[in-house]
Amino acid sequence: MGNALSIYLRKPDFTDQEEIIAAFTRSVDLHNPWTYSPDDYEKYLSQPYRYFVCHKKTHAILGSYNISEIVRGWFQSAYLGYEVFAPHQRQGFMTQGMTLILEEAFAKLNLHRLEANIQSHNYASIALVLKSGFTNEGFSPKYLRIGGKEWQDHERWAIVNDSWVESNP
């Protein structure tokens, strides 16, 4: 693979709705219990900082990143959410996508800090942020109600612009 990325990021479009519904449908077993399909796909597709991870050759949607709750001013911080779609997990696509989404967050959106909150037993997600330069900042009991169902404990992982710049000279 070398340094060449086999993926690119792009903004969603309402014409993606059929493909996204199919992606979530075939990924139910992969996502459960970490996340659930959106209740409102139009809202999902219209999030201003949602990005699809797409394959350069096939243009298939492999996964998604979302930068949310951006706070400007002295804070310059946001949250990062993401999901990979079956059968594209464990192939390095989300690692490649993380490189691009961090560039988007820090170089283009000029954020200072990006935080990802991850359920403690979601080892694949923790491995992704760990190899991407995030550090574990703590544990948040009953932090988030996943899929509107149960409150789940999460680990708080974050990366700041300075750390990202040091690893991307």
Side-chain angles (χ1 to χ4, degrees):
M1 184 169 64
N3 288 335
L5 297 178
S6 61
I7 58 95
Y8 63 93
L9 295 183
R10 73 166 174 85
K11 295 289 202 140
D13 184 287
F14 285 108
T15 61
D16 294 317
Q17 186 162 334
E18 191 175 311
E19 186 176 354
I20 276 301
I21 290 171
F24 271 103
T25 300
R26 72 173 179 268
S27 302
V28 168
D29 290 340
L30 174 65
H31 291 167
N32 190 359
W34 319 118
T35 189
Y36 295 90
S37 299
D39 290 333
D40 183 341
Y41 283 98
E42 286 186 22
K43 183 177 177 183
Y44 175 90
L45 292 169
S46 66
Q47 291 170 313
Y49 298 102
R50 171 143 329 263
Y51 302 84
F52 285 151
V53 178
C54 298
H55 196 278
K56 279 186 178 176
K57 290 183 182 171
T58 66
H59 305 287
I61 299 170
L62 311 173
S64 173
Y65 281 99
N66 188 40
I67 299 172
S68 65
E69 307 300 326
I70 296 175
V71 178
R72 294 294 185 181
W74 297 106
F75 203 46
Q76 297 290 22
S77 183
Y79 293 100
L80 181 66
Y82 47 87
E83 60 264 334
V84 66
F85 298 116
H88 309 293
Q89 69 272 22
R90 302 194 192 291
Q91 296 179 44
F93 298 127
M94 294 303 284
T95 300
Q96 291 179 44
M98 184 69 85
T99 301
L100 298 176
I101 202 68
L102 291 177
E103 182 177 345
E104 182 75 16
F106 294 133
K108 294 182 182 160
L109 296 176
N110 197 31
L111 293 174
H112 166 69
R113 173 187 167 84
L114 199 57
E115 184 173 312
N117 291 283
I118 304 167
Q119 292 172 64
S120 301
H121 299 302
N122 190 342
Y123 302 119
S125 188
I126 289 170
L128 174 62
V129 296
L130 192 58
K131 69 178 137 191
S132 300
F134 285 66
T135 56
N136 187 328
E137 294 186 336
F139 181 78
S140 300
K142 297 188 180 191
Y143 175 78
L144 185 62
R145 201 153 115 199
I146 301 299
K149 300 176 190 308
E150 274 186 59
W151 291 100
Q152 297 292 328
D153 299 342
H154 282 66
E155 292 182 14
R156 193 172 53 257
W157 291 80
I159 187 170
V160 293
N161 196 321
D162 297 349
S163 299
W164 175 77
V165 168
E166 287 172 12
S167 63
N168 293 285

